[in-house]
Amino acid sequence: LTGAPEVLDLRAVVTDAMGVIYPLLREKGQDLAVDLPEPLPVSGDAEELTQAVINLLANAHRHTPRGTRVA
């Protein structure tokens, strides 16, 4: 970990990552569906967790056909 672990709500991490990936999805005509209704407390480094989620979303974007949904 690059920073001290802290308790985070994973929903905030996912929201930050979505903001980074959204322009790529829009460019490819993809929709993004995320269902995180409950708080999801995790302990970790916010930057590293955000980067991990960005990587997951980027892979989904890359391997999902144009005009479809990433969920």
Side-chain angles (χ1 to χ4, degrees), residues 11-26 32 34 50 53-54 57:
R11 295 178 303 175
V13 171
V14 171
T15 300
D16 290 346
M18 288 169 50
V20 172
I21 294 299
Y22 184 74
L24 297 174
L25 297 170
R26 188 177 55 210
L32 178 61
V34 176
T50 301
V53 175
I54 289 170
L57 291 174

Side-chain angles (χ1 to χ4, degrees), residues 6-15 34-44 49:
E6 57 184 303
V7 176
L8 307 162
D9 184 347
L10 192 57
R11 295 178 303 175
V13 171
V14 171
T15 300
V34 176
D35 183 20
L36 300 171
E38 302 283 329
L40 296 169
V42 296
S43 178
L49 286 169

Side-chain angles (χ1 to χ4, degrees), residues 47-69:
E47 281 187 41
E48 289 190 5
L49 286 169
T50 301
Q51 188 58 56
V53 175
I54 289 170
N55 292 347
L56 289 170
L57 291 174
N59 284 337
H61 157 72
R62 192 171 14 260
H63 298 289
T64 300
R66 286 187 172 279
T68 57
R69 175 179 286 187

